[in-house]
Amino acid sequence: MRDTRESRLLLVLLVAIAFALITVDIRGGEQSPLDGARQVAASAFGPVESGVAHVVDPVGNAIGAVRDSGRRHSRIATLEHENEALKAKLGSSDRNRSRAAELDKILKTAGTGQYAIKGAQVIAIGSAQGFSWTVTIDAGSRDGIARDMTVLNGDGLVGRVTTVGADTSTVLLAADPDFTVGTRMEKTNEIGFANGQGVNSLRVQLLNGRAAVKQGDRLVTFGSSKDKPFVPGVPVGRVVKVEPSNGDLTRILQVRPFVSFSQLDIVGVVVQPPREDPRDTVLPPRPAKPKPAPTVTVTATPSASASPRD
């Protein structure tokens, strides 16, 4: 249709008629004079609308599915978060159980040696003092900690306190090369001095070059004057190697410490020494040697029914 004045007037007229019909239909409701025409139109265009609905519905369903998927994803994320929190809680419980077990070992060691201890936790490694093998614990002068106190855990000697603050202290570990502690051999009472060599070994120099020592022998702390910096009887380690004496006045031993310095967590600071030297009582009992299985010898004897050959 050409865009002329007559066509524009016709378009306006058709729009006005459409609005008039809509108004009449709305006001008439179910009694509308256009109801019959609407039913005819519905019959004519109903199948088309139904077909279009079948085509459009999958798209709508897909959109709904995406929305549901978003809600499901959010729910999954929430569940995953709750799962991680639960795992963290379980991990924390495992850690707490481990700490409780370690504290129980420390208390048992302290009870056996009659040491009065203050429990503390290792909160840092290294210190500003420049020591190569030190840790910081969360106990200080407010907790009764003082310089040159013995530090132990459930396995044995950890080190000694070197610096004390109000709420924290620095502990020089027995693994440090500058660390020295007097030792005494189990049973034989041979005296020596142990120096740190890192986490795996202590170097012990026995004063008696002819001392009878073998692998597996154990050592404890000898103790210091007025019990500072070391109280007596704390387990130190086990002999793993005996150096040849070569006629020297002293004897050198390589000793594996009982304490794992790379896994320190809960420790005890001895705030009051024992009244008496516990000697070797703090050392754990040696495992019982397995008894050799008895051997039975079976000897075959000739049968009584057997007859000699002719």
Side-chain angles (χ1 to χ4, degrees):
M1 179 181 294
R2 296 179 60 184
D3 185 13
T4 61
R5 181 178 180 183
E6 290 79 4
S7 62
R8 286 196 297 270
L9 289 174
L10 179 59
L11 178 60
V12 172
L13 181 61
L14 291 174
V15 170
I17 293 172
F19 274 109
L21 292 174
I22 293 171
T23 302
V24 171
D25 186 42
I26 293 175
R27 289 181 178 180
E30 294 182 355
Q31 303 299 325
S32 172
L34 299 177
D35 184 61
R38 187 169 56 244
Q39 291 180 0
V40 173
S43 300
F45 294 102
V48 177
E49 291 177 350
S50 179
V52 172
H54 284 298
V55 173
V56 175
D57 279 348
V59 178
N61 291 337
I63 295 173
V66 171
R67 292 174 180 171
D68 291 341
S69 176
R71 286 193 290 269
R72 287 195 297 269
H73 179 73
S74 176
R75 178 58 178 163
I76 291 172
T78 301
L79 291 175
E80 288 178 349
H81 178 72
E82 293 175 355
N83 191 32
E84 291 300 325
L86 180 60
K87 288 181 179 179
K89 184 177 180 180
L90 290 175
S92 177
S93 297
D94 291 341
R95 187 178 183 187
N96 288 337
R97 283 193 292 270
S98 176
R99 286 182 172 181
E102 180 61 26
L103 183 58
D104 185 63
K105 286 176 61 178
I106 294 174
L107 293 175
K108 184 177 180 180
T109 297
T112 303
Q114 297 300 305
Y115 310 123
I117 65 168
K118 173 67 179 181
Q121 180 180 353
V122 174
I123 58 175
I125 300 174
S127 69
Q129 285 77 15
F131 296 123
S132 56
W133 288 95
T134 62
V135 295
T136 301
I137 59 175
D138 63 350
S141 58
R142 294 179 182 177
D143 305 291
I145 308 301
R147 181 183 171 87
D148 286 337
M149 284 184 169
T150 306
V151 182
L152 51 79
N153 68 3
D155 297 317
L157 180 66
V158 171
R160 63 180 176 87
V161 177
T162 56
T163 306
V164 181
D167 300 303
T168 61
S169 302
T170 301
V171 177
L172 178 66
L173 301 180
D176 190 274
D178 292 333
F179 186 93
T180 302
V181 59
T183 62
R184 182 177 55 79
M185 298 294 301
E186 179 185 13
K187 295 182 180 180
T188 65
N189 296 325
E190 294 288 351
I191 298 173
F193 296 94
N195 297 100
Q197 296 185 132
V199 295
N200 296 321
S201 178
L202 299 172
R203 182 180 184 273
V204 176
Q205 184 177 22
L206 293 182
L207 299 183
N208 181 5
R210 297 182 178 180
V213 186
K214 62 182 183 300
Q215 291 185 7
D217 287 349
R218 302 182 296 181
L219 302 88
V220 298
T221 55
F222 180 74
S224 305
S225 174
K226 298 182 180 180
D227 300 304
K228 286 190 175 182
F230 302 108
V231 295
V234 180
V236 174
R238 187 188 311 273
V239 176
V240 293
K241 184 178 180 181
V242 180
E243 302 287 349
S245 62
N246 296 325
D248 296 335
L249 296 178
T250 60
R251 194 155 201 188
I252 306 301
L253 313 176
Q254 296 298 324
V255 175
R256 179 170 298 161
F258 290 123
V259 172
S260 177
F261 298 105
S262 61
Q263 297 177 340
L264 292 174
D265 187 10
I266 305 298
V267 298
V269 182
V270 181
V271 295
Q272 184 176 340
R275 293 181 179 179
E276 297 180 357
D277 187 344
R279 309 296 290 180
D280 302 332
T281 59
V282 185
L283 286 168
R286 289 182 177 274
K289 295 182 179 181
K291 295 181 179 180
T295 57
V296 179
T297 303
V298 179
T299 304
T301 58
S303 174
S305 61
S307 59
R309 293 183 180 179
D310 294 336

